[in-house]
């Protein structure tokens, strides 16, 4: 398991740390605009601002299949890296094309740039968009997919998008008038933004190769420009050609086999066998009379809380690997059929609370053991599920079992009892919630579990133990005075 003070394992989470430090006392030459450097080339064969020659290569035109000329210029973007600016011109059909390519190797991590467009002048901010980058404008609900590399600005990206959509508008007007109207309304909205209306906009550039860039201006407000790095997924590495799809398939197969072996040998899977194979001991028995006391199921008489009839409560101590000992208690009434179970953790009260998060990415993850104590709160944002401390009591089960208990409790005790008086909108929300919860139980959708326990008495099985689980994070934190007060720790004298 991974604590917050250890070196984190590679994951898909974003590392919010700038890749390059932005210093304002750098040589002023570093702030020279790329356009000014290119304009310094006055003739073919001259040198650019950094002494690199403009090279010419004869190449075939893809439109008329005759020979044209490709010019290449090596230049450097301040605070970014070296790039190659290429321009092709065909003297026969007048076809022209320009693009850029990164002159450096693929970065170790992907990068994401976020830029706030707050005025008309911000549209002139320079952008390097590589052939693997995706650009997004959140408020416009616009996404520009990966295509050829470009050295342009934000206004240039939008103008090119407008031109591409307008090319077939006349044909759409006749064949699909409703689509034509929607595109016209969208183009009108984009043009209004270019004139400085409907601002601010949020502009994203996401490049798994890490070879894209949005211009940074020293001294600008911190909220306008930000850059994040993240670890690429296996699919992104395949897309970039760094690894093959076969390597990914073999790695997933090995990982799945490892998970299956770990979950098959977990505590909950072996409890039934242990219960049948070990004798029960009634009453309070002297430890010395039992050869292996920890493996015995203790049984003592109790009273059913539902019908007040005599019943039996079974208790067993279980050691959870890499965690601590817990006490599992189960009560069954033969008269009315009442059943209940509860889990208590042993040991001293820890000095700190604990937060655990687990990303469920595989159906086999649902077989992991999970211990949710009475003081633990649990959230699953993707399912809109929030269990406050005390809900369901203490539970030691699997993730699938916990979701099943939540489903049965809410459906039988809440939805079934009150659905007749619900309005259609409320009933529809409940139905949608149960559908998502059912999909989660069956492993059809991924989700993330967040658990927070001020007594650090909750646990999720790490199938990679003793190594760190790349999909799990564990963080210890200091309890507040209010939390200690609620738990009765402030008045406890030891």
């Amino acid at each position: 398991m991974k604590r917050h003070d250890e070196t984190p394992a590679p994951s898909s989470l974003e590392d919010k740390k700038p890749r390059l430090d932005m210093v304002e006392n750098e040589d002023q030459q570093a702030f020279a605009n790329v356009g000014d450097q290119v304009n310094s080339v006055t003739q073919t064969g001259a040198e650019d601002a950094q002494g690199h020659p403009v090279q010419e290569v004869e190449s075939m035109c893809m439109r008329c299949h005759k020979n044209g000329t490709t010019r290449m210029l090596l230049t450097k973007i301040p605070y970014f890296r070296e790039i190659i600016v290429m321009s092709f011109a065909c003297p026969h059909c007048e076809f022209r094309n320009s693009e850029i390519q990164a002159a450096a190797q693929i970065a170790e991590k992907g990068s994401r740039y976020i830029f706030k467009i707050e005025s008309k002048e911000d549209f002139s901010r320079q952008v390097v968009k590589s052939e693997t980058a995706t650009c997004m404008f959140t408020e416009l609900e616009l996404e520009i997919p990966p295509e050829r590399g470009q050295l342009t600005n934000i206004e240039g990206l939008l103008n090119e998008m407008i031109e591409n959509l307008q090319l077939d508008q006349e044909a759409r007007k006749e064949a699909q008038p409703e689509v034509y109207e929607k595109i016209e309304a969208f183009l009108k909205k984009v043009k209004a933004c270019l004139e400085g209306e409907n601002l601010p906009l949020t502009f994203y550039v996401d490049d798994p190769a890490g070879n894209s860039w949005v211009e940074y201006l020293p001294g600008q407000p911190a909220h306008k420009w930000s850059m994040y790095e993240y670890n690429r997924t296996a699919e992104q590495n395949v897309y970039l050609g760094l690894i093959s799809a076969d390597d990914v398939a073999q790695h997933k197969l090995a990982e799945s086999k490892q998970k299956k072996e770990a979950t098959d040998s977990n505590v909950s899977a072996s409890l039934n066998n242990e219960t049948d194979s070990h004798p029960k001991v009634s009453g309070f028995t002297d430890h010395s009379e039992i050869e292996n006391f920890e493996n015995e199921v203790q049984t003592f008489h109790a009273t059913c809380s539902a019908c007040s009839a005599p019943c039996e409560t079974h208790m067993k101590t279980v050691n959870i690997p890499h965690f601590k000992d817990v006490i599992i208690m189960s009560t069954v009434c033969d008269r009315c059929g009442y059943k209940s179970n509860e889990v208590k953790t042993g040991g001293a009260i820890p000095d700190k609370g604990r937060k655990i998060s687990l990303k469920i990415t595989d159906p086999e993850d649902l077989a992991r053991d999970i211990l949710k104590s009475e003081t633990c709160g649990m959230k699953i944002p993707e399912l809109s599920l929030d269990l406050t401390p005390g809900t369901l009591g203490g539970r030691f089960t699997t993730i699938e079992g916990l979701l099943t208990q939540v489903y049965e409790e809410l459906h039988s005790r809440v939805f079934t009892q009150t659905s007749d008086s619900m309005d259609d909108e409320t009933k529809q929300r409940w139905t949608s919630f149960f559908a998502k919860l059912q999909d989660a139980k069956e492993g059809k959708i991924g989700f993330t579990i967040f658990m927070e326990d001020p007594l650090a008495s909750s646990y999720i099985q790490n199938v990679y133990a003793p190594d760190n689980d790349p999909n799990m994070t564990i963080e210890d934190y200091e309890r507040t005075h209010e939390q200690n007060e609620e738990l009765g720790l402030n008045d406890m004298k030891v």
Side-chain angles (χ1 to χ4, degrees):
M1 291 186 285
K2 179 177 69 179
R3 302 182 184 277
H4 70 292
D5 56 349
E6 296 178 350
T7 302
S11 67
S12 58
L13 298 177
E14 294 177 352
D15 180 15
K16 297 189 176 181
K17 182 179 180 181
R19 181 171 53 196
L20 298 174
D21 294 330
M22 302 302 170
V23 292
E24 299 186 22
N25 58 356
E26 192 174 334
D27 187 359
Q28 292 297 322
Q29 179 63 26
F31 294 97
N33 187 281
V34 176
D36 295 337
Q37 298 181 20
V38 177
N39 289 333
S40 65
V41 182
T42 58
Q43 60 182 0
T44 302
E47 294 183 342
D48 64 6
Q50 297 177 339
H52 299 127
V54 177
Q55 299 183 3
E56 288 188 354
V57 178
E58 186 176 356
S59 52
M60 185 178 70
C61 175
M62 301 308 296
R63 175 176 293 180
C64 67
H65 303 292
K66 296 181 180 180
N67 287 340
T69 303
T70 297
R71 293 180 175 85
M72 295 182 292
L73 171 67
L74 176 63
T75 187
K76 182 179 180 180
I77 297 178
Y79 303 121
F80 184 50
R81 62 183 63 183
E82 296 82 5
I83 63 170
I84 301 174
V85 182
M86 295 183 292
S87 175
F88 174 80
C90 177
H92 306 285
C93 65
E94 304 299 330
F95 174 71
R96 293 180 179 273
N97 183 36
S98 62
E99 61 179 282
I100 69 162
Q101 289 186 0
Q105 63 183 0
I106 294 177
E108 293 183 1
K109 296 183 178 182
S111 62
R112 176 181 297 173
Y113 292 85
I114 303 175
F115 180 67
K116 287 287 186 180
I117 304 173
E118 298 176 331
S119 64
K120 186 177 179 180
E121 290 73 22
D122 288 337
F123 285 104
S124 62
R125 194 64 64 97
Q126 290 184 13
V127 176
V128 172
K129 177 181 177 294
S130 77
E131 64 274 11
T132 59
T134 300
C135 296
M136 292 168 284
F137 294 85
T138 306
E139 291 77 6
L140 296 177
E141 298 182 356
L142 171 63
E143 179 176 319
I144 302 176
E147 48 185 8
R148 62 186 177 88
Q150 292 176 276
L151 173 58
T152 179
N153 55 25
I154 300 176
E155 182 180 5
L157 285 173
L158 291 176
N159 283 332
E160 184 180 24
M161 182 273 302
I162 292 173
E163 292 175 2
N164 291 337
L165 287 179
Q166 285 179 336
L167 286 177
D168 299 326
Q169 276 296 80
E170 292 300 325
R172 292 192 191 99
K173 188 174 183 180
E174 299 295 333
Q176 297 175 303
E178 61 281 352
V179 176
Y180 168 83
E181 294 295 337
K182 291 181 179 180
I183 292 180
E184 282 296 317
F186 174 74
L187 293 179
K188 183 178 180 181
K189 182 179 179 181
V190 175
K191 291 177 181 178
C193 291
L194 289 173
E195 294 297 325
E197 302 176 14
N198 302 324
L199 298 180
L201 297 178
T202 305
F203 175 58
Y204 290 85
V205 177
D206 193 334
D207 186 1
N211 288 331
S212 295
W213 173 81
V214 176
E215 183 183 6
Y216 172 82
L217 296 181
Q220 67 183 2
H223 72 278
K224 285 185 69 69
W225 186 97
S226 57
M227 179 265 192
Y228 306 90
E229 289 185 333
Y230 61 88
N231 293 297
R232 286 186 289 267
T233 63
E235 290 74 14
Q236 288 174 327
N237 283 327
V238 172
Y239 170 70
L240 296 175
L242 300 178
I243 57 178
S244 67
D246 291 340
D247 293 336
V248 175
Q250 292 177 2
H251 175 73
K252 287 187 175 181
L253 183 63
E255 187 178 68
S256 177
K257 183 178 180 181
Q258 182 182 4
K259 283 184 178 181
K260 189 176 186 305
E261 291 175 351
T263 51
D264 286 346
S265 60
N266 61 12
V267 177
S268 61
S270 60
L271 276 180
N272 293 334
N273 295 332
E274 289 184 4
T275 302
D276 296 336
S277 60
H278 296 290
K280 298 180 180 179
V281 179
S282 301
F284 299 93
T285 308
D286 186 3
H287 294 197
S288 61
E289 297 178 1
I290 302 176
E291 182 178 356
N292 192 355
F293 182 76
E294 290 186 355
N295 288 330
E296 303 296 340
V297 178
Q298 307 297 313
T299 302
F300 55 90
H301 298 292
T303 302
C304 176
S305 59
C307 65
S308 300
C311 62
E312 291 183 343
T313 295
H314 306 294
M315 181 178 69
K316 187 182 189 305
T317 301
V318 176
N319 177 265
I320 300 179
H322 308 288
F323 186 53
K324 60 175 71 174
D325 288 339
V326 298
I327 301 173
I328 301 177
M329 294 182 291
S330 173
T331 301
V332 179
C333 180
D334 296 332
R335 177 178 176 182
C336 66
Y338 173 78
K339 296 181 180 180
S340 70
N341 57 74
E342 192 174 0
V343 178
K344 299 288 186 181
T345 55
I349 295 176
D351 295 331
K352 296 182 179 181
R354 178 169 294 176
K355 296 179 181 179
I356 306 174
S357 67
L358 174 66
K359 201 170 188 179
I360 304 296
T361 59
D362 192 303
E364 292 184 357
D365 288 332
L366 298 173
R368 294 194 190 205
D369 281 335
I370 182 171
L371 171 62
K372 177 191 172 298
S373 72
E374 291 182 341
T375 58
C376 177
M378 188 178 80
K379 294 181 180 180
I380 304 180
E382 294 85 351
L383 305 180
S384 302
L385 178 63
D386 188 350
L387 300 181
T388 58
T391 305
L392 298 179
R395 285 289 185 270
F396 180 54
T397 178
T398 61
I399 296 176
E400 181 183 4
L402 186 62
L403 294 179
T404 300
Q405 290 176 350
V406 171
Y407 185 97
E408 292 175 351
E409 290 285 331
L410 291 177
H411 195 275
S412 61
R413 298 194 178 186
V414 179
F415 182 74
T416 303
Q417 302 295 330
T418 61
S419 59
D420 291 341
S421 60
M422 290 181 183
D423 56 68
D424 292 339
E425 183 179 354
T426 302
K427 187 178 293 186
Q428 179 61 35
R429 287 202 300 267
W430 273 105
T431 303
S432 176
F433 168 76
F434 286 128
K436 288 196 297 184
L437 191 56
Q438 184 68 30
D439 288 342
K441 287 198 306 173
E442 296 174 358
K444 295 180 180 179
I445 59 175
F447 55 91
T448 305
I449 297 177
F450 295 92
M451 300 175 66
E452 181 175 350
D453 191 345
L455 291 182
S457 298
S458 297
Y459 156 90
I460 299 179
Q461 181 190 10
N462 175 10
V463 296
Y464 298 93
D467 297 329
N468 291 332
D469 189 332
N471 292 328
M472 182 189 299
T473 59
I474 298 179
E475 177 184 355
D476 293 336
Y477 66 93
E478 296 287 345
R479 288 188 294 266
T480 63
H481 179 81
E482 290 76 13
Q483 288 177 321
N484 286 329
E485 186 68 27
E486 291 177 359
L487 298 171
L489 300 180
N490 289 334
D491 299 326
M492 187 177 295
K493 308 297 182 183
V494 293

